[in-house]
Amino acid sequence: MTKEKILARPSGVREPIVKPGVSVQVLSPKPSAPGANSFIINRMEQIEITVKFSEEMKTETVIPGKTLFFDPEADLLKPSWPDKKTMKLTTAKKWNEIPHTSHPDFNFSIRLIGVDKGNGVVKSMKGQVLDGDYNGLAGGDYKMGFTIPKKKKK
């Protein structure tokens, strides 16, 4: 029997720890670096988020409303995949048309499911389950918060 090396990190640090063959993780945007620079507002004034994974993904496991959520609830266009490790998410509505209760800034988040609650989980092409909580093991939901700051009047 071989002993598996235990990967450790300081308490409270949520940097990815990738254990090859065990799970797949989101490499970007990183939960440890949230903010307004992790997304763009496109020419149509929609929110676009690019998510990069550590492994090639089984794209059919990423399903809006089942294994992918946007909060506040907003229609997402079907995720696009420039390559198997990169997913682009775009809101169907303009960012300022999405109902929200956060004032004065607009706060929103995405969540990818790594714990099956009856709707499946996000998986890699190799069948690895998402390690959304970055503990080096399969399972745990990935959640990332974003903010669009209120523009200051001059």
Side-chain angles (χ1 to χ4, degrees), residues 117-130:
K117 296 175 185 125
N119 287 323
V121 294
V122 174
K123 292 183 179 179
S124 72
M125 292 293 288
K126 297 176 186 174
Q128 301 160 312
V129 174
L130 178 69

Side-chain angles (χ1 to χ4, degrees), residues 63-71 76 109-113 119:
I63 307 162
K66 292 189 183 272
T67 60
L68 166 66
F69 295 91
F70 185 91
D71 183 43
L76 287 173
S109 65
I110 60 168
R111 185 167 43 110
L112 294 165
I113 303 300
N119 287 323

Side-chain angles (χ1 to χ4, degrees), residues 41-47 74 91-99 106:
I41 304 295
N42 67 19
R43 289 181 292 141
M44 303 297 291
E45 296 187 38
Q46 299 159 299
I47 298 169
T91 56
K93 295 180 180 179
K94 294 179 180 181
W95 75 269
N96 56 3
E97 294 175 351
I98 299 170
F106 177 70

